[in-house]
Amino acid sequence: MTRHVLLVARSVTHHGGHDAVHRLAATVGAARGVPVRACFLDGAEPSLHAALDTAVAEAAGDVLLVPAHLPPDRYLDTWIRRAIAHWRQTRGDDLPIAVTAPLAGQPALADAVAQAIAGAHAPLTGNPGPFRSPSWSQITRHRRHVLVCRGPRCTAYGAGDVAAALGDRLAEHRLGDDDVLVTATGCLFPCNLGPLVVVHPDDTWYTGVDPHTAVRIADEHLRDGRPVDDRPSRPAG
Ligand code: FES
């Protein structure tokens, strides 16, 4: 039976950051000759839940989790334990799962920084213009602002598929940022009702959203202007 290793990371905001974590996993996997994959507690795919489902589907003997966030993230360590408990409860699976010490606490990390300091240096040159490009002064004239929660619980409940379905449907309708501005957020607090999609200025909270409902929100609310009224949406206040 094969051990599967999962690098568990947090969401990163910069472009390409998630791909870099996937590449790190692939490099380690090739070097160690074992399956090593990346997954994310929030904000990116695959979620920890989805990665564990894959490990089960591939008949993993056990799973070793590596908290792979830099700098150290106490939140990540706490949440891995909670997410594993929820996955076991909802899947009814007794797959052995263990966790390593956080990557951020490994002594080799200090060695890597020392090697970088001792290694080659590249002088920095460049034009400061793009730092203050006029584009970054324009407020979009969107009619509606949609918040898609990508916090850890909503991510575990399937927010990644919801965000993808919503984005694809809005693209089909050619509703861009000037019509509907979609923003992925951190936790919006009523986690037990997730995945959450919130539409402003209507103040409409859609709870327990799945990809099918996300498509209906795009069609009925965001394109046609009628809230999806047979859904458990909850106007705030
Ligand atoms: S994680 Fe979505 S409301 Fe908390």
Side-chain angles (χ1 to χ4, degrees), residues 216-237:
R216 290 192 61 196
I217 293 170
D219 291 357
E220 298 173 32
H221 196 158
L222 302 174
R223 181 191 60 186
D224 300 341
R226 290 179 286 104
V228 182
D229 57 11
D230 63 333
R231 287 287 311 162
S233 59
R234 186 175 64 86

Side-chain angles (χ1 to χ4, degrees), residues 79 149-155 185-196 205:
W79 269 92
C149 181
R150 298 304 316 274
R153 284 192 178 96
C154 286
T155 294
T185 74
C187 177
L188 292 170
F189 297 122
C191 312
N192 293 341
L193 305 180
L196 287 176
W205 291 58

Side-chain angles (χ1 to χ4, degrees), residues 100-119:
T100 70
L103 190 63
Q106 300 298 322
L109 185 61
D111 294 341
V113 174
Q115 285 176 21
I117 294 170

Side-chain angles (χ1 to χ4, degrees), residues 3-225:
R3 163 169 289 176
H4 286 222
V5 178
L6 297 179
L7 306 188
V8 189
R10 298 278 324 267
S11 164
V12 291
T13 54
H14 62 278
H15 186 69
H18 300 131
D19 290 344
V21 184
H22 285 295
R23 281 198 302 275
L24 174 64
T27 302
V28 175
R32 306 283 303 177
V34 295
V36 180
R37 297 204 175 91
C39 62
F40 299 89
L41 201 65
D42 54 358
E45 298 298 313
S47 67
L48 175 54
H49 279 51
L52 289 171
D53 291 342
T54 300
V56 170
E58 294 178 350
D62 67 355
V63 171
L64 186 62
L65 307 178
V66 182
H69 197 76
L70 298 175
D73 187 336
R74 209 157 54 89
Y75 183 76
L76 177 69
D77 299 339
T78 304
W79 269 92
I80 285 177
R81 284 167 173 75
R82 292 180 185 173
I84 293 302
H86 177 265
W87 183 82
R88 284 199 166 116
Q89 182 188 53
T90 53
R91 288 0 185 225
D93 198 296
D94 59 359
L95 177 71
I97 303 172
V99 65
T100 70
L103 190 63
Q106 300 298 322
L109 185 61
D111 294 341
V113 174
Q115 285 176 21
I117 294 170
H121 302 167
L124 289 175
T125 58
N127 176 355
F131 193 83
R132 292 283 294 174
S133 163
S135 305
W136 307 128
S137 302
Q138 292 168 8
I139 300 172
T140 64
R141 308 308 305 172
H142 52 276
R143 290 178 293 113
R144 288 192 169 83
H145 192 180
V146 179
L147 309 180
V148 180
C149 181
R150 298 304 316 274
R153 284 192 178 96
C154 286
T155 294
Y157 301 155
D161 291 339
V162 169
L166 184 69
D168 288 349
R169 196 64 166 185
L170 290 174
E172 282 178 30
H173 294 324
R174 299 183 183 280
L175 292 173
D177 288 351
D178 284 337
D179 302 294
V180 177
L181 180 63
V182 179
T183 304
T185 74
C187 177
L188 292 170
F189 297 122
C191 312
N192 293 341
L193 305 180
L196 287 176
V197 172
V198 185
V199 179
H200 288 307
D202 308 342
D203 221 8
T204 300
W205 291 58
Y206 291 103
T207 61
V209 178
D210 59 16
H212 173 72
T213 306
V215 168
R216 290 192 61 196
I217 293 170
D219 291 357
E220 298 173 32
H221 196 158
L222 302 174
R223 181 191 60 186
D224 300 341

